[in-house]
Amino acid sequence: MGGVLGVVGLLHADETTTRFELASQVMQRRNLTPPSVYHAEGGRWAFGKFESSRGALPAREFGKTSAPCALFHGVLYNSQELWRRVEGSSSAREEQVSQLILALYAEYGIRFLEYMEGEFCLAVADPLQRRVFIATDTVGSHPVYWHHDSDGLIFCTNLSALLCATPSARRLDFRAVADYITLGSLLGDRTLVQGVSLLAPGAVVEYKAQGGVASVRRYIDLATFFENKCHSKEIYLESVEAEFQDAVDRALKSTRRVGLALSGGLDSRAILSACGERAKTLQTYTLGIDGCADQVISERLARIAGSEHRFFALDQSYLRDFLPNMVRMVSMTDGMYVSHGLTEMLALQFLGETGIEVLLRGHGGELAKARLAWPLHTDDSVYRLNSTEALAEYLSRRANYITGGLALSDLLVPEAARAAGDGSRSAFREVLADTGLSPAACCSYLYLRELTRRFTIPSIELFRTVVEVRLPYLDRRFLKALLGAPPEWRDSTEIHQRLIAGGIGRLGKVRNSNTGAPAIASPKTEYVLDKFNSLFKRFNIRGFRHYHNFDAWMRTMLLQSVESELMTSESQTKRFIDNSVLKRLIDETRNGVDDRGYLLQVLLILEIWQQGHIVTNYHVIANAEAIRVQLADGRIAKPR
């Protein structure tokens, strides 16, 4: 998994060391190696790169020199092209990305970010200029949390680590809570803590130590991806197909074992098809309950493509271990992920048996079939809207699958309700301000800019604890080709059909688990067969079952866990929701009066997360004091 951490102190070197050590301890508890540490500014600056496997570089200290340093986390796809820019040579030095970044920075300044393609976050420290830059890639593939105050700046790829080193950041952000309990994810740059931000996609923070000033700017504006650059649909489809093939080619480049998470739908199938003959070297896997549609369909897809395939059956054990799995998931995702089946934790166990080291996943494929990109999908109502203001109003109602029909004022205690305001309506307005896009394009813009980093990336962070994950559909060049045309051109599954046909065409003849129709079926055929597919799924017929049994654990273990964790006198959730309201939600769900399963799951996540961060302030203070004692005794080396 790995990650980066940086502390820029404005006071004393000992204070920087204490904060860095506190955060570093949290990172290392996640099975990460001790970091390569870089010091500058007489020890007041400390930066670390963590690795998930052996081979971390030895510590290097700058002392009082002015040499810059660079931290890179992720994967870079165009390193050879970038080496040619700075040296005129395309020497294959994949392992020297940090040196490449420093060479690019020396040549172009921070503008070099515009030339980088991959899935990454990075930081550049320039002691001579007394500046620090922190950046994310096009879609924010790796989270970067940051906070600055009168003490300086701290940034980290792990929110828990940052909070452990920042005891002053402990106030829950009720605006963020309002987003979470309506949309199932946050919007904008908020986190659950006031004053701590998540860096936006395609953005860079510049921190000036002289004066302690931080500013954020975009070096990539995702709204520009939606400019209509193609007026011939056939030329557009050809371009999308070519760029997708290139994106898959880039994702496949690795000397390690590459795998693909294969379902019965279209997203992963299109990736498999683009692999062509190379599919025979892939390890594909599918996870679900025995007899589910994904099991039957994926096995057939794998036989056609020739991949080595495994199916992992979910049994009832994951119901019994519900609360421990939930606690672990909350810890690994910084409380930012609402599962739609809780199968992810089981997948982590099974992945170790596959030998996969680089995993391809189909996230982002919904952007190529926008009417299916739930809950930010296009529909007839969206196309009739004429302003982003109207869209914000519409989406705040339609996308609310967590608390639909419940007013925030009826759910939250008065203080929290006042702070939450009108909830996600304002959040949507803020994110869409000045985009200049049509409502239909805004749906995909929100999906790409917000849902990807707020829902998809936290789920990917789970898998990154055991494998490297690559996402071909979120490749920058592919996105520019896909989104640069009228939105109605990518409403249906036409693009997926074309992508599948362009590779291993026979895969298109296998049915789609979502509709029961062949992937290449016409809309009319899909409409008819979907009726039978839904009926067979409802009757739990083998080969048509859903891949998980969400309802079963919702009705049993979820309700038990909510009662045991939230209905106690020590519960932190009662700070913003009254026990009587919570009891009513539990009773309505248990008795079948109303389904509040997702809301209860979000509240349970918030409770578990708060127990780890809001109520452990005294642990942080005690730990910080212990580190200060070790520093004074020389057990922790002072930076030179």
Side-chain angles (χ1 to χ4, degrees):
M1 185 176 181
V4 296
L5 164 67
V7 179
V8 179
L10 299 180
L11 302 174
H12 305 291
D14 287 0
E15 187 64 28
T16 294
T17 301
T18 299
R19 298 184 75 188
F20 187 89
E21 287 292 332
L22 284 167
S24 181
Q25 288 178 7
V26 176
M27 298 285 278
Q28 291 178 60
R29 284 201 293 269
R30 295 195 171 194
N31 297 319
L32 301 179
T33 60
S36 299
V37 183
Y38 305 83
H39 291 292
E41 285 288 300
R44 289 197 301 268
W45 293 16
F47 303 89
K49 170 69 186 296
F50 296 80
E51 303 287 352
S52 57
S53 60
R54 62 182 181 273
L57 295 173
R60 174 185 173 195
E61 295 189 1
F62 286 104
K64 295 182 180 179
T65 70
S66 58
C69 77
L71 303 178
F72 179 88
H73 176 50
V75 58
L76 183 64
Y77 292 134
N78 64 333
S79 60
Q80 292 188 3
E81 174 189 323
L82 295 174
W83 275 117
R84 282 195 295 270
R85 279 183 174 271
V86 293
E87 289 190 352
S89 168
S90 60
S91 303
R93 288 177 283 182
E94 303 291 339
E95 75 286 356
Q96 298 178 349
V97 179
S98 293
Q99 290 88 333
L100 172 59
I101 291 171
L102 290 176
L104 288 165
Y105 177 68
E107 181 75 18
Y108 299 102
I110 201 61
R111 288 190 303 108
F112 77 84
L113 290 167
E114 300 170 12
Y115 308 126
M116 297 187 68
E117 297 179 7
E119 300 168 25
F120 61 84
C121 64
L122 61 85
V124 175
D126 188 342
L128 184 62
Q129 299 292 325
R130 303 201 69 204
R131 295 182 180 184
V132 175
F133 299 94
I134 318 158
T136 55
D137 67 10
T138 305
V139 297
S141 300
H142 293 268
V144 179
Y145 303 98
W146 66 285
H147 168 80
H148 87 287
D149 54 24
S150 58
D151 293 334
L153 168 77
I154 181 170
F155 65 90
C156 191
T157 46
N158 181 280
L159 179 60
S160 300
L162 184 149
L163 293 177
C164 189
T166 315
S168 60
R170 283 295 183 276
R171 290 183 62 83
L172 198 64
D173 188 332
F174 290 127
R175 283 288 306 277
V177 170
D179 287 350
Y180 212 173
I181 62 175
T182 53
L183 306 174
S185 62
L186 278 58
L187 288 174
D189 301 335
R190 295 186 189 90
T191 66
L192 292 171
V193 180
Q194 292 181 22
V196 179
S197 300
L198 175 66
L199 187 55
V204 56
V205 173
E206 179 181 1
Y207 182 76
K208 299 178 181 179
Q210 187 70 38
V213 178
S215 59
V216 183
R217 68 174 179 85
R218 292 179 295 190
Y219 69 90
I220 293 176
D221 185 355
L222 290 177
T224 63
F225 285 27
F226 293 84
E227 296 172 354
N228 290 345
K229 310 175 189 73
C230 195
H231 302 287
S232 164
K233 189 173 183 180
E234 182 56 33
I235 293 175
Y236 164 73
L237 292 173
E238 289 175 359
S239 174
V240 168
E241 185 179 350
E243 290 294 351
F244 182 73
Q245 183 64 62
D246 288 346
V248 173
D249 290 345
R250 284 189 283 273
L252 285 172
K253 286 182 180 178
S254 177
T255 57
R256 295 170 291 165
R257 186 74 187 276
V258 179
L260 171 66
L262 187 60
S263 72
L266 301 183
D267 297 329
S268 59
R269 185 181 317 199
I271 296 174
L272 182 65
S273 182
C275 292
E277 283 296 311
R278 291 168 298 181
K280 296 176 182 177
T281 67
L282 284 183
Q283 167 75 72
T284 54
Y285 80 91
T286 304
L287 179 144
I289 63 174
D290 184 51
C292 67
D294 284 335
Q295 176 186 9
V296 175
I297 296 170
S298 63
E299 287 175 352
R300 186 176 175 191
L301 295 173
R303 282 197 302 271
I304 293 172
S307 65
E308 180 184 340
H309 186 73
R310 297 188 67 175
F311 174 73
F312 297 103
L314 297 177
D315 56 26
Q316 295 301 307
S317 64
Y318 80 114
L319 297 180
R320 294 193 299 271
D321 298 333
F322 170 75
L323 189 56
N325 278 328
M326 176 66 79
V327 171
R328 186 171 173 229
M329 185 187 77
V330 170
S331 173
M332 294 165 69
T333 62
D334 289 315
M336 296 288 182
Y337 180 60
V338 179
S339 176
H340 288 181
L342 206 68
T343 60
E344 297 87 354
M345 305 311 296
L346 274 296
L348 298 185
Q349 298 177 23
F350 295 136
L351 264 175
E353 302 177 23
T354 64
I356 293 173
E357 297 174 277
V358 176
L359 179 65
L360 275 56
R361 293 185 65 88
H363 298 288
E366 297 85 354
L367 292 165
K369 41 182 169 59
R371 279 190 179 253
L372 301 178
W374 180 90
L376 297 172
H377 51 286
T378 56
D379 59 20
D380 292 341
S381 295
V382 167
Y383 278 102
R384 286 194 294 267
L385 298 175
N386 56 16
S387 69
T388 54
E389 178 73 24
L391 179 67
E393 169 68 29
Y394 178 63
L395 289 181
S396 67
R397 289 181 280 106
R398 195 197 68 179
N400 181 359
Y401 71 99
I402 305 290
T403 55
L406 288 174
L408 289 176
S409 57
D410 294 333
L411 185 63
L412 301 175
V413 299
E415 177 191 357
R418 285 193 298 272
D422 61 0
S424 59
R425 187 181 301 114
S426 291
F428 277 128
R429 281 199 299 264
E430 291 169 8
V431 173
L432 293 174
D434 303 321
T435 59
L437 300 177
S438 68
C442 281
C443 286
S444 294
Y445 174 81
L446 287 168
Y447 197 99
L448 177 61
R449 188 187 188 279
E450 298 299 323
L451 200 65
T452 293
R453 66 179 176 134
R454 292 302 202 166
F455 181 79
T456 299
I457 297 304
S459 74
I460 294 302
E461 287 291 281
L462 291 170
F463 290 94
R464 283 175 176 153
T465 60
V466 292
V467 293
E468 179 184 310
V469 181
R470 299 183 182 179
L471 308 171
Y473 286 104
L474 298 178
D475 180 275
R476 183 166 74 175
R477 295 189 186 187
F478 172 68
L479 286 173
K480 284 186 173 181
L482 175 69
L483 302 174
E488 55 268 23
W489 287 5
R490 50 185 175 78
D491 260 356
S492 68
T493 58
E494 180 182 7
I495 291 175
H496 279 76
Q497 291 176 337
R498 180 133 181 172
L499 298 180
I500 294 168
I504 307 172
R506 290 172 57 202
L507 299 178
K509 297 180 180 180
V510 182
R511 66 182 164 100
N512 176 358
S513 60
N514 297 306
T515 65
I520 58 173
S522 67
K524 185 175 181 179
T525 302
E526 273 191 350
Y527 177 80
V528 173
L529 292 181
D530 186 43
K531 303 297 182 183
F532 291 97
N533 191 60
S534 298
L535 185 65
F536 295 160
K537 187 179 295 185
R538 187 177 304 118
F539 284 102
N540 201 32
I541 295 177
R542 186 176 183 84
F544 291 87
R545 297 168 185 163
H546 195 56
Y547 77 95
H548 65 71
N549 198 359
F550 177 88
D551 290 342
W553 66 256
M554 184 206 72
R555 288 193 302 268
T556 55
M557 301 308 295
L558 174 62
L559 293 179
Q560 293 176 28
S561 299
V562 168
E563 288 180 319
S564 67
E565 297 298 312
L566 273 67
M567 297 298 291
T568 67
S569 58
E570 295 82 18
S571 168
Q572 293 298 301
T573 305
K574 65 183 180 183
R575 296 172 63 237
F576 57 88
I577 184 169
D578 190 84
N579 265 11
S580 61
V581 175
L582 186 60
K583 186 178 185 305
R584 173 169 56 82
L585 297 173
I586 295 172
D587 291 343
E588 288 177 352
T589 302
R590 175 175 283 124
N591 298 327
V593 175
D594 219 332
D595 183 359
R596 298 300 179 188
Y598 278 118
L599 174 56
L600 294 173
Q601 184 188 167
V602 171
L603 294 175
L604 179 60
I605 289 171
L606 287 170
E607 176 63 32
I608 294 170
W609 184 83
Q610 288 179 101
Q611 289 176 8
H613 297 294
I614 301 300
V615 299
T616 57
N617 204 12
Y618 63 92
H619 290 308
V620 175
I621 294 171
N623 201 14
E625 185 58 34
I627 287 175
R628 290 189 180 96
V629 170
Q630 294 176 49
L631 187 66
D633 291 346
R635 282 176 280 166
I636 297 178
K638 292 185 179 182
R640 292 194 298 270

